Amino acid sequence: THKLPAAWRDLSDEYSLEWFHNALRASSKPFCDFTLQFGDEVLEQLSRQPSSAGWLSKRIARHLKALLGRPVAFWFAFEKGVGERLHVHGELQASPNEFVRVRRALRLAGGQWSHTRQHQAKIKQASPTVVWPQYVATLAPYIQPRPKIGRMASISRPINGDWIFATNEIRIAAGN
């Protein structure tokens, strides 16, 4: 006898990130991980959206498609540590020869900085291990919906809606 794994709807968000990573890893296409910092205007717009992740995902998808000439599968999660600015970490399908265009697309989606733009979007070839999605989930309590009582109740939430996003291609491959 054996146990069946939990149904997708019963997985925690943190565990879903691992499945998103595994879905990209299982595809035959190369992928990379990324970190994207936001410009002030985009940061302000994010807080006003009913679904911050949905709004940002459309911006990222539009800029990636415009610069790469194809739809790109990706996932991301918002992160904000104590004293940090809101930013996202994620992974997307791209080969190393596309990294310059991917970095530009991410900067445009994040609201391009006027100075030190080289630090706004960071990309590197993804590793096959699950270390990256585990790192991405480390500060999840600061982004997830707040309980009404307890030590997290007094911390304001910087976004609205879900704190993670994955394109349909990744969700389907991950079994969602």
Side-chain angles (χ1 to χ4, degrees):
T1 64
H2 63 281
K3 283 185 166 183
L4 292 174
W8 181 264
R9 69 180 179 278
D10 297 332
L11 293 178
S12 68
D13 287 345
E14 293 87 346
Y15 196 62
S16 296
L17 294 177
E18 187 174 325
W19 279 98
F20 296 158
H21 168 79
N22 289 333
L24 275 175
R25 186 179 64 162
S27 76
S28 60
K29 301 173 186 171
F31 65 104
C32 62
D33 55 47
F34 70 90
T35 298
L36 174 62
Q37 303 281 345
F38 302 116
D40 293 333
E41 184 179 310
V42 169
L43 199 57
E44 183 182 319
Q45 289 176 350
L46 270 170
S47 64
R48 293 192 315 246
Q49 301 302 319
S51 170
S52 300
W55 181 81
L56 180 62
S57 68
K58 288 175 188 169
R59 284 182 64 97
I60 291 173
R62 183 176 66 245
H63 288 290
L64 286 171
K65 188 173 183 179
L67 290 176
L68 297 179
R70 63 177 171 83
V72 176
F74 63 91
W75 67 263
F76 66 79
F78 286 98
E79 181 180 86
K80 183 181 186 306
V82 177
E84 290 183 343
R85 286 175 60 104
L86 182 68
H87 59 281
V88 292
H89 295 297
E91 293 177 326
L92 57 86
Q93 284 183 338
S95 59
N97 63 344
E98 297 174 311
F99 283 5
V100 170
R101 288 178 286 161
V102 168
R103 192 174 294 110
R104 174 143 173 76
L106 289 173
R107 282 197 319 256
L108 290 170
Q112 194 161 256
W113 290 355
S114 59
H115 62 290
T116 61
R117 290 187 315 194
Q118 69 272 21
H119 299 297
Q120 184 181 6
K122 296 181 181 178
I123 299 171
K124 72 175 188 150
Q125 189 68 38
S127 165
T129 68
V130 296
V131 173
W132 182 246
Q134 289 171 353
Y135 168 75
V136 171
T138 55
L139 294 175
Y142 293 102
I143 300 296
Q144 290 177 332
R146 304 283 183 253
K148 301 281 189 238
I149 58 172
R151 65 182 180 85
M152 300 295 281
S154 63
I155 300 172
S156 65
R157 189 166 188 247
I159 62 168
N160 297 313
D162 289 336
W163 67 282
I164 63 173
F165 173 85
T167 58
N168 286 337
E169 181 180 344
I170 292 176
R171 286 186 179 278
I172 290 167
N176 183 355

